[in-house]
Amino acid sequence: MKLIATILVCLGLLVAAQDDCPGEYISIGSHCYWISNDEYSWDDGRDQCTTYQPDHRSAGLAHIDDCKELGEVWRYIVENEDPTEDYWIGGSDEAEEGVYRWHSTGHEVPRGIPFWFPGQPDGAEEENALSLSKTGYFADEAASIPQRIICQLL
Ligand SMILES: [Ca+2]
Ligand SMILES: [Ca+2]
């Protein structure tokens, strides 16, 4: 009985957490995200996120700052979306080659393992946009490539 009670309480919390995210946003971990079905260039994806702001909450392409968050988002994609695709998230090194920053916070994107796939970033000035790639890790890719996008409420 105790176990069942625990499960019910947890389910209750889960539902409550999802209710906290407005519009089409969903709760993953402690943040609200929206994963598009349509594909956009990185710039159009950024504009899409900053335009669609349910309940007047600020939003941008996702900024994934710690490995717990990365694990939670990737696990959600594996279980609910298509893990054979790449998804745009909010980092860019367009302003300064080799220095990735989140467009929504201005903070530097974490470097190396466990965030980036080994060998990435490798595109120099040809690849200036950050993707959560089908490897489950970050990769730099050409910003013009159409990809699905992951938006996040700020
Ligand atoms: Ca680059
Ligand atoms: Ca690359």
Side-chain angles (χ1 to χ4, degrees):
M1 281 308 287
K2 200 172 178 186
L3 178 63
I4 290 171
T6 304
I7 290 170
L8 287 176
V9 168
C10 291
L11 282 176
L13 289 175
L14 197 62
V15 169
Q18 283 171 339
D19 285 345
D20 286 344
C21 294
E24 293 178 34
Y25 274 81
I26 44 159
S27 174
I28 305 174
S30 52
H31 300 283
C32 295
Y33 300 91
W34 175 62
I35 302 174
S36 74
N37 288 318
D38 294 334
E39 297 182 340
Y40 306 88
S41 68
W42 187 89
D43 292 87
D44 287 350
R46 177 196 55 199
D47 292 347
Q48 185 69 28
C49 294
T50 54
T51 302
Y52 174 50
Q53 299 190 333
D55 283 3
H56 306 290
R57 300 261 306 265
S58 293
L61 281 169
H63 57 98
I64 296 177
D65 297 296
D66 62 57
C67 67
K68 179 168 173 282
E69 205 178 332
L70 174 60
E72 287 165 347
V73 171
W74 185 245
R75 183 174 160 199
Y76 181 87
I77 288 173
V78 168
E79 292 176 351
N80 301 281
E81 300 291 342
D82 184 354
T84 68
E85 292 187 42
D86 297 340
Y87 297 80
W88 286 131
I89 56 175
S92 167
D93 76 336
E94 181 76 40
E96 186 181 354
E97 176 54 38
V99 180
Y100 272 84
R101 291 187 182 280
W102 301 117
H103 79 86
S104 55
T105 66
H107 295 151
E108 212 170 314
V109 172
R111 297 176 185 234
I113 296 168
F115 295 96
W116 293 77
F117 191 71
Q120 301 290 322
D122 64 351
E125 297 193 346
E126 302 297 312
E127 300 183 346
N128 294 332
L130 187 63
S131 182
L132 175 53
S133 76
K134 58 180 78 65
T135 60
Y137 296 95
F138 294 175
D140 62 334
E141 297 182 9
S144 58
I145 298 173
Q147 297 186 17
R148 295 171 70 186
I149 57 174
I150 304 175
C151 303
Q152 179 181 352
L153 293 183
L154 303 176

